[in-house]
Amino acid sequence: MSNQSLLQYLSVALPAIPIQGAAPSRNTTNPRYGAGDISQVVDWPEFNYATIIQRYGGILNSKQIVSDPFRSPPAAIRDEPHFHLRFAELLQPRVRRALRAGFEELAPRLQQLNLVPITFDGGGSAAYVDQFRPDTAFVVVGGTYADSTNRAPGDMKVSWKWRSDYRHSQNAFFQEQYKQVLAQVNFYMGQHKARHGFVLTNTELVAIKRIDTNGRLAVSSAIPWTAGGHGQLTVLMGIWYLGMLAAEGTNWTL
């Protein structure tokens, strides 16, 4: 197995996931949150490749990690549980490994940088607040499931139920579905007092930042699932960077 820099490791494109037999359906609803909770959506232009390189380019280039190429194309999906399986196979272990490598490289400076080591896992690795469980969690390494705070909750959807371009759709139903999913993540962020979160589908990643506690959100430009190569912000790198934001001593919370 050959070594590569952490930057190269995170710059790899994810393989496209085929879709087979998917049926249109609505997104999750709950009396505790809804599209009307989102009062404003603005752009988050600072969530980009240049910012990540400016902040962490040193360790991304210096840390060496064994390459882990995708060896076979993923099987098709037809529903969200299927997508969760592909996520667990393709993405989650690579993000965990990349975070571990990054924190190893930063170890002598963690206190100086006001960072704590973070890992990436399923939502059940953080405390359940009122029995709600986001799909994914960034938690402090070494914490207990019952007591850990989810520092950047993530929610996974399938592309035939949610797309980032619904934000500017002329179709009222699509606009509502766009905000419904943001409201779900916003609710989880509020429960854990987290500043950051994300929506991941089988075609794109959108990072989310709470501006306040009144439903004002900033959203990143969508990162295509298959984006990759030198100088490209990939889904792997975007989720890794959300982990680094979650690691910040006080800035992770709102």
Side-chain angles (χ1 to χ4, degrees):
M1 299 290 283
S2 60
N3 278 7
Q4 59 185 167
S5 70
L6 184 54
L7 179 61
Q8 290 170 317
Y9 183 83
L10 290 171
S11 296
V12 173
L14 297 172
I17 302 175
I19 298 167
Q20 183 185 119
S25 57
R26 289 175 175 266
N27 286 294
T28 306
T29 58
N30 191 282
R32 297 284 297 276
Y33 57 80
D37 299 341
I38 305 305
S39 58
Q40 186 182 24
V41 179
V42 300
D43 294 336
W44 184 9
E46 298 82 11
F47 194 94
N48 60 34
Y49 183 85
T51 299
I52 296 170
I53 296 302
Q54 180 185 358
R55 298 194 63 192
Y56 292 110
I59 66 152
L60 287 169
N61 280 293
S62 64
K63 180 63 177 178
Q64 293 293 300
I65 189 169
V66 176
S67 63
D68 186 15
F70 296 103
R71 302 192 180 281
S72 58
I77 60 172
R78 67 182 298 187
D79 53 26
E80 276 182 19
H82 248 158
F83 177 46
H84 284 234
L85 289 172
R86 305 295 175 262
F87 163 82
E89 171 194 349
L90 300 169
L91 225 164
Q92 186 180 359
R94 286 176 169 85
V95 174
R96 285 171 65 99
R97 192 165 168 239
L99 284 169
R100 189 165 60 246
F103 287 118
E104 284 173 2
E105 193 76 356
L106 287 166
R109 295 188 290 138
L110 285 176
Q111 195 167 1
Q112 171 194 342
L113 295 170
N114 197 21
L115 297 174
V116 294
I118 293 290
T119 190
F120 184 51
D121 207 343
S125 61
Y128 290 176
V129 182
D130 295 339
Q131 299 305 305
F132 284 92
R133 182 182 63 82
D135 288 331
T136 68
F138 286 102
V139 294
V140 175
V141 171
T144 62
Y145 292 162
D147 300 319
S148 291
T149 299
N150 189 339
R151 287 177 165 227
D155 198 64
M156 289 189 280
K157 300 295 180 188
V158 284
S159 57
W160 54 93
K161 289 172 64 174
W162 191 87
R163 290 180 4 200
S164 61
D165 61 7
Y166 285 178
R167 176 184 173 188
H168 301 295
S169 173
Q170 299 303 306
N171 184 309
F173 173 76
F174 288 152
Q175 282 198 9
E176 182 192 30
Q177 291 300 295
Y178 178 80
K179 287 189 173 181
Q180 177 65 29
V181 171
L182 292 190
Q184 186 176 359
V185 180
N186 180 63
F187 177 73
Y188 295 150
M189 289 191 286
Q191 285 191 310
H192 290 269
K193 298 180 171 57
R195 188 184 300 271
H196 306 103
F198 67 89
V199 179
L200 177 70
T201 78
N202 50 294
T203 59
E204 59 185 345
L205 166 70
V206 174
I208 302 169
K209 179 170 70 171
R210 282 202 302 161
I211 298 171
D212 59 24
T213 57
N214 298 313
R216 294 178 66 227
L217 300 177
V219 297
S220 73
S221 296
I223 305 168
W225 180 271
T226 54
H230 179 70
Q232 295 292 311
L233 181 52
T234 64
V235 170
L236 279 171
M237 192 182 300
I239 295 181
W240 178 86
Y241 182 55
L242 281 164
M244 299 309 294
L245 291 172
E248 294 177 359
T250 53
N251 190 50
W252 73 269
T253 189
L254 178 67

